[in-house]
């Protein structure tokens, strides 16, 4: 295990659930390695309020570097709120308050002296609905570099090609880079948004329900892409699709009513969860 939750103590004292089987030796061995992983993001006792509404309640977890971490849970459990705290996209929401500590490679991202714009370069975001700019495919990918003042064609050409290749899109669009991005299919637009996000070489890539509006073929391409991207980036993904979490992620956190019920290797969460509420959710008994 690489974290503990407040739910552990309450379950130990009050649960009447049937004990789950002991983990297999393979699962135990995998869990033993978690402590050796480098941490990209550390959350410690994080609370989020919308006015008087307590949306996130004491979440503590470690997000390992160069792995895919999935956040699952029913609608309204706080998944999107939590992931948007990781690059401070919630800052402009009136009445929202964050307490606790969130650190990116040891640096507190809520430090008042922190440059938030620089943080969002280090922690990129891809949203549920693809949002390409009404510009060419090329200019969508080059946008972040141009904002930083980079206008050398040789540099832009190289970054655009590399980013589109990493997003598994280059072969599909290399002959129409100057066509309007809005003419692409939905799945292509979402991969373009991923290419745009990674063009500025973030350390972490956040994805909030990136496949919810896509067909199964486009979803499959995004899932394959995540597997390849984790070699270069730490990835955190919010998903309602538990099969997607099982297929794509190395670690999974289950949120319920703002609390992190359980966090562990995806294998353990889906084969031998510790908390009976996790088992009830992943087997479809609620949510």
């Amino acid at each position: 295990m690489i974290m503990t939750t407040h739910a552990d103590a309450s379950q130990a004292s009050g649960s009447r659930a049937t004990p789950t089987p002991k983990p297999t030796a393979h699962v135990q061995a995998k869990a033993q390695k978690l402590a050796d992983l480098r941490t990209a993001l550390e959350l410690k006792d994080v609370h989020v309020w919308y006015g008087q509404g307590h949306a996130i309640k004491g979440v503590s977890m470690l997000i390992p570097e160069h792995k895919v971490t999935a956040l699952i849970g029913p609608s309204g459990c706080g998944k999107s709120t939590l992931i948007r705290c990781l690059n401070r996209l919630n800052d402009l929401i009136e009445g929202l308050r964050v307490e606790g500590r969130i650190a990116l490679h040891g640096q507190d991202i809520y430090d008042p002296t922190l440059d938030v714009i620089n943080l969002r370069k280090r922690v990129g975001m891809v949203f549920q609905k693809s949002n390409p700019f009404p510009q060419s495919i090329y200019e969508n990918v080059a946008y972040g570099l141009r904002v930083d003042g980079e206008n050398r064609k040789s540099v832009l050409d190289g970054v655009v090609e590399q980013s589109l290749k990493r997003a598994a899109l280059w072969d599909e669009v290399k002959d129409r880079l100057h066509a309007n991005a809005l003419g692409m299919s939905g799945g292509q637009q979402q991969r373009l948004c991923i290419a745009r996000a990674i063009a500025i070489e973030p350390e972490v890539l956040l994805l909030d329900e990136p496949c919810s509006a896509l067909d199964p073929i486009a979803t499959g391409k995004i899932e394959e892409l995540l597997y390849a991207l984790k070699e270069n980036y730490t990835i955190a993904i919010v998903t309602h699709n538990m099969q997607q979490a099982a297929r794509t992620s190395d670690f999974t956190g289950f949120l319920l009513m703002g609390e992190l019920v359980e966090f562990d290797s995806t294998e353990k969460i889906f084969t031998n969860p510790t908390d009976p509420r996790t088992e009830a959710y992943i087997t479809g008994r609620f949510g």
Side-chain angles (χ1 to χ4, degrees), residues 67-86:
K67 301 293 181 182
V68 179
T69 297
L71 296 178
I72 63 172
S75 296
C77 69
K79 303 184 299 295
S80 292
T81 294
L82 183 61
I83 203 170
R84 287 166 183 255
C85 288
L86 302 183

Side-chain angles (χ1 to χ4, degrees), residues 163-172 191 221 224-225:
S163 300
L164 289 171
K165 284 181 175 177
R166 285 184 174 176
L169 195 55
W170 174 254
D171 289 340
E172 298 173 38
R191 280 181 285 149
K221 290 182 178 180
E224 291 175 5
L225 176 58

Side-chain angles (χ1 to χ4, degrees), residues 101-158:
R101 174 179 167 85
I102 301 176
L104 173 61
H105 291 125
Q107 181 181 20
D108 184 355
I109 70 170
Y110 282 87
D111 185 326
T113 65
L114 183 80
D115 183 340
V116 178
I117 294 176
N118 184 59
L119 170 68
R120 291 174 186 154
K121 294 177 185 176
R122 298 173 64 193
V123 184
M125 184 86 181
V126 176
F127 299 94
Q128 180 175 0
K129 181 176 173 55
S130 58
N131 59 343
F133 303 141
Q135 298 175 306
S136 69
I137 295 169
Y138 183 101
E139 289 301 331
N140 265 269
V141 181
Y143 177 80
L145 281 80
R146 289 199 188 278
V147 169
D148 271 350
E150 180 60 76
N151 288 304
R152 289 173 293 175
K153 187 176 186 302
S154 59
V155 173
L156 295 177
D157 287 351

Side-chain angles (χ1 to χ4, degrees), residues 36-270:
D36 298 329
L37 295 174
R38 293 185 61 184
T39 298
L41 283 160
E42 178 185 7
L43 290 74
K44 186 174 182 180
D45 197 26
V46 175
H47 295 260
V48 179
W49 283 267
Y50 289 100
Q52 297 300 313
H54 200 175
I56 300 294
K57 304 170 183 177
V59 168
S60 295
M61 63 188 291
L62 303 178
I63 296 180
E65 192 174 69
H66 295 300
K67 301 293 181 182
V68 179
T69 297
L71 296 178
I72 63 172
S75 296
C77 69
K79 303 184 299 295
S80 292
T81 294
L82 183 61
I83 203 170
R84 287 166 183 255
C85 288
L86 302 183
N87 67 349
R88 294 182 54 175
L89 278 181
N90 288 328
D91 279 13
L92 298 179
I93 299 177
E94 186 175 356
L96 184 136
R97 186 169 85 259
V98 179
E99 293 184 2
R101 174 179 167 85
I102 301 176
L104 173 61
H105 291 125
Q107 181 181 20
D108 184 355
I109 70 170
Y110 282 87
D111 185 326
T113 65
L114 183 80
D115 183 340
V116 178
I117 294 176
N118 184 59
L119 170 68
R120 291 174 186 154
K121 294 177 185 176
R122 298 173 64 193
V123 184
M125 184 86 181
V126 176
F127 299 94
Q128 180 175 0
K129 181 176 173 55
S130 58
N131 59 343
F133 303 141
Q135 298 175 306
S136 69
I137 295 169
Y138 183 101
E139 289 301 331
N140 265 269
V141 181
Y143 177 80
L145 281 80
R146 289 199 188 278
V147 169
D148 271 350
E150 180 60 76
N151 288 304
R152 289 173 293 175
K153 187 176 186 302
S154 59
V155 173
L156 295 177
D157 287 351
V159 171
V160 168
E161 179 175 348
Q162 180 187 51
S163 300
L164 289 171
K165 284 181 175 177
R166 285 184 174 176
L169 195 55
W170 174 254
D171 289 340
E172 298 173 38
V173 302
K174 62 183 179 181
D175 296 324
R176 54 188 180 105
L177 291 177
H178 298 289
N180 194 305
L182 299 181
M184 304 169 77
S185 70
Q188 288 176 328
Q189 288 186 11
Q190 193 65 297
R191 280 181 285 149
L192 178 64
C193 291
I194 292 174
R196 186 176 66 198
I198 64 177
I200 56 174
E201 292 293 340
E203 298 164 41
V204 179
L205 184 62
L206 309 176
L207 302 103
D208 190 0
E209 295 279 358
C211 302
S212 63
L214 303 182
D215 61 54
I217 294 176
T219 295
K221 290 182 178 180
I222 297 289
E223 291 180 359
E224 291 175 5
L225 176 58
L226 296 183
Y227 184 82
L229 286 175
K230 70 180 181 180
E231 292 186 10
N232 297 293
Y233 311 100
T234 299
I235 299 173
I237 178 172
V238 166
T239 179
H240 276 106
N241 186 326
M242 286 179 289
Q243 290 74 28
Q244 182 175 79
R247 287 191 298 263
T248 63
S249 68
D250 301 287
F251 301 94
T252 298
F254 170 51
L255 285 136
L256 183 64
M257 298 179 66
E259 295 184 5
L260 183 64
V261 173
E262 189 167 352
F263 183 89
D264 213 315
S265 71
T266 296
E267 181 180 13
K268 186 175 187 304
I269 290 289
F270 281 89

